[in-house]
Amino acid sequence: MNGYRDADLQAAAEAGIRAPSMHNSQPWLFRLRDGAIEVVADQARQLAVADRSGWAIRLACGAATYNARLALAMRSRPAEVHPRPRTDESAVIARLVPGPERLPTYAEQDLYAAIGRRHSNRASFWPEPVPADVRIRLIDAARSESAWLDLLVGMTALAGFAEIASSADRVLRRDARYQAELISWIHADDAPDGVPVGAGAPLPEPQDLLPQRAFGHRRRAPAREHEPEPLVGVLGVAGDGPVAQINAGQALQKVLLTATSAGLATSMISQPIEVPTARDQLRRALGRTGYPQLALRIGYGTPGRTTPRRDVADVVVRES
């Protein structure tokens, strides 16, 4: 089996950079080594305060790995993924090795087509519920990547989650260093990274059920409520080490692309994961033996726009 070439690396990187990352920090690099494509954590972009453990960078690079997988499948060159393959270089998140050549499946084509449309939508969603068959597709997407997605059903479960998430948000709001770091990633709308001012949610109001990060100063339109009963999903995996978090990132991206393909909007809620006590409360509330890795807000909303990305040339590393 021939190894990957420069054209494969380019395609993988072009798809990989469209993955989500905390504060749109885009902490990834892509390189070709010995015929395989490696997704490498750009540790210069690791959030020093919000991501001291490296959880968020591994989740983001895992999501980028999934996008790269889809791009390679579209070239009839699907990859076998080896997470954390190098004991001498912990920054290598995943190594993509060519598998048997085959045509892409219809499912892969649909998910690949959704990569360019996926973005975090922090605006209010419409009241229309997500149909049962679409919910099942989201759950199956997580399960196919060895993860689980618990969709919270009923106001009791939702209110319990909201209390945990809001408590965690208050903890983070009181951390001056955390807030300073967050503000440093609020950039102009045409910046290549960070969260554009125009992409932030309206300022939170007391009646809001779920916490929203204050990425700007825009207020909600009069008489416009944030959705009173949003659909919330909690994504988790059995373990909590680096490999488990990388796998969770791949599952996260498959869930997000499945949602986008179904016409849904999504945004991510990480506060209850970032605060250890809140995360443990959430795990116990779900009755799970595994570990929550991220929460998602899911629904139908007014289409927004994708956030800018760094140039592919800035993230591709070619061995000399």
Side-chain angles (χ1 to χ4, degrees):
M1 174 66 63
N2 293 327
Y4 289 125
R5 300 181 179 87
D6 273 354
D8 300 313
L9 174 66
Q10 183 77 12
E14 287 174 354
I17 62 172
R18 300 305 319 176
S21 57
M22 184 178 281
H23 305 347
N24 193 26
S25 53
Q26 303 176 41
W28 40 61
L29 298 168
F30 304 85
R31 74 182 176 202
L32 193 62
R33 177 180 281 184
D34 299 329
I37 293 171
E38 293 181 338
V39 181
V40 182
D42 186 347
Q43 293 171 323
R45 287 178 166 265
Q46 183 171 341
L47 302 174
V49 180
D51 190 29
R52 287 186 291 268
S53 69
W55 152 79
I57 201 170
R58 287 188 285 271
L59 209 67
C61 287
T65 298
Y66 187 78
N67 276 5
R69 285 169 54 190
L70 287 176
L72 294 169
M74 293 300 294
R75 296 175 63 82
S76 300
R77 308 213 63 198
E80 297 174 357
V81 180
H82 302 275
R84 298 265 290 190
R86 302 179 67 89
T87 57
D88 61 332
E89 195 175 356
S90 62
V92 179
I93 295 296
R95 184 173 172 85
L96 280 63
V97 178
E101 295 189 9
R102 61 166 175 78
L103 293 175
T105 66
Y106 290 127
E108 288 169 335
Q109 293 177 46
D110 287 343
L111 295 175
Y112 178 78
I115 289 175
R117 305 196 309 271
R118 187 220 63 83
H119 66 279
S120 291
N121 188 332
R122 300 175 182 87
S124 299
F125 292 165
W126 302 333
E128 284 81 1
V130 177
D133 64 318
V134 178
R135 296 182 185 218
I136 291 171
R137 285 171 58 191
L138 298 175
I139 292 169
D140 287 345
R143 185 180 296 125
S144 69
E145 293 294 322
S146 302
W148 45 264
L149 180 70
D150 282 359
L151 298 178
L152 305 185
V153 177
M155 278 306 299
T156 299
L158 187 56
F161 171 83
E163 183 177 349
I164 293 169
S166 296
S167 176
D169 188 63
R170 288 192 293 271
V171 170
L172 297 174
R173 284 177 183 271
R174 291 195 295 266
D175 186 331
R177 292 180 64 238
Y178 184 97
Q179 292 301 314
E181 182 179 66
L182 184 151
I183 291 169
S184 74
W185 283 96
I186 301 173
H187 293 169
D189 284 354
D190 59 351
D193 59 9
V195 178
V197 174
L203 288 172
E205 298 184 6
Q207 72 272 20
D208 290 349
L209 186 63
L210 299 176
Q212 289 269 19
R213 297 192 194 278
F215 283 118
H217 301 285
R218 180 167 52 91
R219 294 196 173 276
R220 192 169 303 149
R224 181 68 185 270
E225 295 292 331
H226 217 51
E227 62 270 14
E229 192 173 343
L231 176 62
V232 172
V234 180
L235 179 88
V237 288
D240 197 34
V243 170
Q245 291 166 359
I246 293 164
N247 291 339
Q250 295 185 78
L252 167 67
Q253 187 64 356
K254 186 169 186 179
V255 169
L256 292 174
L257 293 177
T258 300
T260 301
S261 181
L264 292 167
T266 57
S267 66
M268 284 157 271
I269 306 171
S270 62
Q271 293 95 318
I273 310 300
E274 296 177 61
V275 178
T277 54
R279 188 188 190 206
D280 189 56
Q281 283 181 309
L282 179 58
R283 182 184 61 80
R284 287 187 279 111
L286 295 172
R288 283 284 186 177
T289 56
Y291 296 87
Q293 299 291 335
L294 202 66
L296 305 174
R297 186 175 65 103
I298 306 166
Y300 294 100
T302 303
R305 56 196 175 96
T306 57
T307 50
R309 287 298 189 271
R310 300 160 65 197
D311 192 276
V312 172
D314 293 336
V315 300
V316 169
V317 178
R318 288 186 164 84
E319 297 288 286
S320 56

